[in-house]
Amino acid sequence: MSKMQKGFTLIELMIVVAIIGILAAIALPAYQDYTKRAKLSEVILAASACRTSITEVYQSATSLPVAGSWGCESSGSASKYVNSVATDGSGNITVTVQGTGDTNIDTKVLTLIPRSASGGAPTLGNAVGSWVCGSSTLTPATTIPSKFLPGSCRG
């Protein structure tokens, strides 16, 4: 009489557990980075109101406001992940991050810098051609590691 095999052998179960362990070791860090990028999306959204205000001033004003007077700044826990939004006299936006639970991100800053169509600093009476988000080379520099920045803000 031939015996019918019922169930799995111990080695087959060990192989399945090992495969699941390897997949978890790869997926968990990727997921954690994804959640941090999602939190930073809120930080970028907080800067968007300032971006609109600064663009309008460059197009229509006769002089630039002083630092902190663009009408879009906030301080003292502006939202769950935004501690403050500040501007300088050139319209550069600096957002300080809080509450993400990561020391590589909390208390660090994200910057948005206005640029003319030619890539230089914008001038009064002309449109802001683009915004540089997350630059570590322009001043003021973003201090958040670029791997945590959303894809639209790396540069």
Side-chain angles (χ1 to χ4, degrees):
M1 254 186 168
S2 67
K3 291 185 177 181
M4 292 182 56
Q5 182 178 358
K6 295 182 180 180
F8 298 104
T9 65
L10 179 61
I11 191 73
E12 290 170 333
L13 291 174
M14 290 174 61
I15 290 171
V16 169
V17 168
I19 291 171
I20 292 172
I22 291 169
L23 290 175
I26 294 169
L28 191 59
Y31 176 73
Q32 289 172 336
D33 287 352
Y34 171 77
T35 58
K36 291 171 188 170
R37 282 192 299 275
K39 291 174 184 177
L40 284 174
S41 294
E42 180 180 321
V43 174
I44 294 169
L45 184 62
S48 292
C50 268
R51 191 170 55 184
T52 303
S53 175
I54 291 167
T55 300
E56 289 175 1
V57 168
Y58 267 109
Q59 288 178 333
S60 61
T62 56
S63 65
L64 295 178
V66 296
S69 299
W70 292 82
C72 57
E73 298 80 5
S74 65
S75 62
S77 296
S79 73
K80 185 173 182 178
Y81 302 119
V82 176
N83 184 29
S84 65
V85 179
T87 57
D88 66 11
S90 301
N92 299 323
I93 305 167
T94 304
V95 184
T96 306
V97 183
Q98 71 176 3
T100 64
D102 187 332
T103 56
N104 292 318
I105 300 173
D106 288 343
T107 70
K108 304 288 195 277
V109 297
L110 173 79
T111 59
L112 274 81
I113 301 169
R115 289 290 176 220
S116 67
S118 63
T123 56
L124 283 173
N126 295 311
V128 173
S130 63
W131 286 86
V132 178
C133 180
S135 174
S136 59
T137 58
L138 295 175
T139 304
T142 294
T143 56
I144 299 169
S146 64
K147 75 175 192 172
F148 298 125
L149 296 175
S152 63
C153 187
R154 292 188 182 168

